[in-house]
């Protein structure tokens, strides 16, 4: 199967697996983030309401830890694709880290938000943010001390869904990289892409919950598979 034939529009979805080799834990692997914390405690609005200090501290630590990791060849290869691909490219990530940007990608859609962004629960402004939130700093816009991590928790609506679905409806190729296919709506993108007639390619270390929906799954570490695939697309 030639998944690279006649490419004008590509949509790429990335998940925690693309950052794994940079040293950021995936969510569902043994030893992953949720090992120390139950999902309901740190990734739901209810958990935040119950124990805001726990949640603010959890995200403060993850934001600070970004200083200790660097992008890997998979992030860099997607940046190369953005620079050199002559068609339309939409890079959608579920990741809240900034490794795509630091790897050189200029246009990244963070559907689950970003660690380096704050959301004011009072005026709803989103602000670039690198400092801790545990000490309840005021919102730079309304001055109310009600900042929370600008990340999408279970039960909340991910960002930019209209734009993502529009791009999926008109793409020729949908590529999923390093995501388990366990969390919706992202897990359903492959079915939308197939319905729209796109070729669907999965790059993952292991088979995922969604593998059967793809035309092709290539198994291996993202740092090897992604640069190889990008070279194919640009050379083909
Ligand atoms: C490698 C690798 C290497 C490792 N190389 N690969 C029943 C049916 C359908 C939906 C629901 C349902 N019940 C509830 C829902 C909704 C719910 C949901 O999906 N729940 C599931 C548990 C079933 N979803 C929501 O609530 C979402 N909102 C919503 O649905 O709104 C309504 C709506 C309706 C209609 C349209 C649109 C919206 C919100 C979901 C928010 C998820 N938030 C989190 C936390 C973000 C903040 C934070 O980081 O703290 O997002 S949860 C967590 O999971 C995080 C991730 O982005 C997300 C996905 O995880 P990911 O990236 O796939 O990581 P892993 O660890 O699962 O997988 C890693 C993969 O990498 C594996 O496959 C490895 O093999 C691979 N890998 N090393 C290549 N080196």
């Amino acid at each position: 199967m030639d998944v690279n034939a006649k490419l004008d529009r590509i949509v790429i979805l990335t998940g925690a697996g693309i950052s794994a080799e940079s040293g950021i834990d995936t969510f569902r692997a043994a030893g992953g983030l949720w090992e120390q914390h139950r999902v309901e405690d740190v990734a739901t609005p209810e958990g935040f309401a119950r124990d805001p200090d726990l949640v603010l501290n959890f995200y403060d630590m993850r934001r600070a830890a970004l200083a200790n990791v660097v992008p890997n060849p998979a992030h860099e290869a997607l940046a190369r694709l953005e620079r050199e691909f002559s068609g339309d490219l939409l890079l959608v990530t579920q990741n809240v880290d900034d490794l795509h940007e630091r790897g050189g990608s200029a246009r990244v859609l963070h559907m689950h938000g970003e660690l380096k962004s704050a959301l004011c629960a009072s005026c709803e402004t989103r602000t670039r943010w690198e400092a801790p939130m545990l000490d309840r700093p005021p919102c730079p816009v309304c001055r109310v001390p009600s900042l929370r991590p600008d990340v999408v928790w279970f039960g909340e609506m991910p960002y930019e869904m209209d734009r993502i679905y529009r791009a999926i409806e008109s793409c020729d190729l949908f590529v999923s990289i390093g995501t388990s296919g366990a969390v919706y709506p992202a897990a359903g993108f492959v079915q939308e892409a197939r319905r729209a007639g796109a070729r669907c390619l999965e790059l993952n270390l292991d088979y995922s919950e969604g593998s059967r929906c793809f035309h092709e799954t290539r198994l291996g570490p993202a740092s090897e598979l992604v640069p190889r695939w990008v070279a194919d697309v640009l050379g083909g």
Side-chain angles (χ1 to χ4, degrees), residues 14-21 25-29 33-34 39 42-43 58-59 62 93-96 112-113 115 151-158 161 165 177-187 202-209 220-223 225:
T14 65
I18 197 167
S19 296
E21 291 162 85
D25 287 342
T26 61
F27 295 91
R28 287 160 190 87
L33 276 176
W34 312 122
V39 174
V42 291
F58 175 71
Y59 282 95
R62 287 176 60 197
T93 187
Q94 298 168 86
N95 299 343
V96 295
H112 289 166
L115 285 170
V151 300
V152 178
W153 288 321
F154 284 105
E156 297 183 325
M157 183 62 82
M161 292 309 300
Y165 282 126
I177 303 170
T179 177
S180 60
V183 176
Y184 287 83
E202 177 180 46
L203 308 178
N204 201 311
L205 194 59
D206 211 341
Y207 289 105
S208 72
E209 293 188 24
S223 65
L225 293 184

Side-chain angles (χ1 to χ4, degrees), residues 33-77:
L33 276 176
W34 312 122
E35 284 275 295
Q36 290 86 24
H37 295 286
R38 298 187 319 146
V39 174
E40 311 87 78
D41 290 339
V42 291
T44 63
E46 295 77 17
F48 183 52
R50 209 165 35 241
D51 192 345
D53 280 6
L54 174 88
V55 177
L56 292 174
N57 188 48
F58 175 71
Y59 282 95
D60 282 354
M61 288 193 308
R62 287 176 60 197
R63 193 180 310 105
L66 291 180
N68 306 322
V69 296
V70 292
N72 67 56
H75 299 102
E76 288 160 0

Side-chain angles (χ1 to χ4, degrees), residues 1 11 13 23 27 29 66 72 79 86 96 130 134 142 144 170 175 231:
M1 167 191 317
V11 174
L13 172 70
F27 295 91
L66 291 180
N72 67 56
S86 57
V96 295
E130 304 217 6
L134 184 59
C142 71
V144 176
S170 63
V175 185

Side-chain angles (χ1 to χ4, degrees), residues 23 58 65 79 96 105 108 113 120 135 158 173 191 193 196-197 203-204 208 220 233:
F58 175 71
V96 295
S105 290
V108 186
C120 178
D135 54 357
L173 176 64
Q191 279 131 321
L203 308 178
N204 201 311
S208 72
V233 170

